Amino acid sequence: MTISVRKVAALGLLGAVLVGCGGGADTASPVVDRTSAAATAEPTAAPGAKPAKPAPAAPPTMAAGPQGRTPVYERRTGRGTEKVVALTFDADMTADQGPRAARGERFDNPELIATLRRLKVDATIFMTGRWAEEYPDQVRSIGTDPRFEIANHSYSHYAFAEPCYGLPTVAKPDMAADVRRAFDSFRDAGAVNVVPYFRFPGGCHDDTALDALAPARVTAVQWDVVGGDAFAKDPDAVAEQVLSGVRPGSLVVLHCTRSAAPATERAIRRIVPELRARGYRFVKVSELMRAG
Ligand SMILES: [Zn+2]
């Protein structure tokens, strides 16, 4: 099979974007602040009142760092022995990819979402605001399904620190607004299950970015297992990479972008039963964070 030069060039560009999602990770102490969950506890009901339905617990967040700096959650394997694993899927679309979507390129992956539902797998979708604008019906469907939670992967999928896989860079004064714009796009589409977690495009960040994002009041979320699904053609290779990397408490990064991660859905069909056979349970990031 031959691939045209033009197509290779296009894939290369998007490859920089997607491969950027599986980059290196930083470290920080995952000290979870549970006060936000406690603050939502129901008041004691008056005598004779109908028992109130307990309010859903607020998603846990980490305490801010010095000067309110954005905290970074990174699951470190080896802590704890509970066999839980969080599968996360980045819904990437850069701010300048609208013309490609208009020409028919699919940045979504409804088959993947359907498979997660069919297999009853809880998951966290780190969504870009630009993706949400392109696929509002899917955002509403995902964002009102208790099986999923939508987290923030920026509006633009531009870099928040340099270098970052060749991505264009968000200016520091625009960083918090970029993240807020993504949250706005989720809510405009009708999503409800939105959590205050943020994944840096490419995972690229520094203290400047963590300071700049403080007003957005998010917890940055990194990962310990790279699925390697960007441009992977062989679902077994993706499955084997995930299966060999997962430990109790792992946080796995994969993609929900069909054109650029075409093997992911088939890989999931193998990953899920094999991990369940090993005794693993699939949780959302909020549950993983709640576990400590
Ligand atoms: Zn990404």
Side-chain angles (χ1 to χ4, degrees), residues 17-18 20-21 90-93 126 128 153 157 199-202 255:
V17 171
L18 277 158
C21 289
D90 292 357
D92 289 356
M93 188 168 171
F126 282 86
T128 59
H153 194 33
H157 205 275
R199 172 165 288 155
F200 285 100
H255 293 88

Side-chain angles (χ1 to χ4, degrees), residues 228-241:
D229 59 339
F231 298 99
K233 297 285 195 301
D234 179 2
D236 286 328
V238 175
E240 280 154 23
Q241 182 159 327

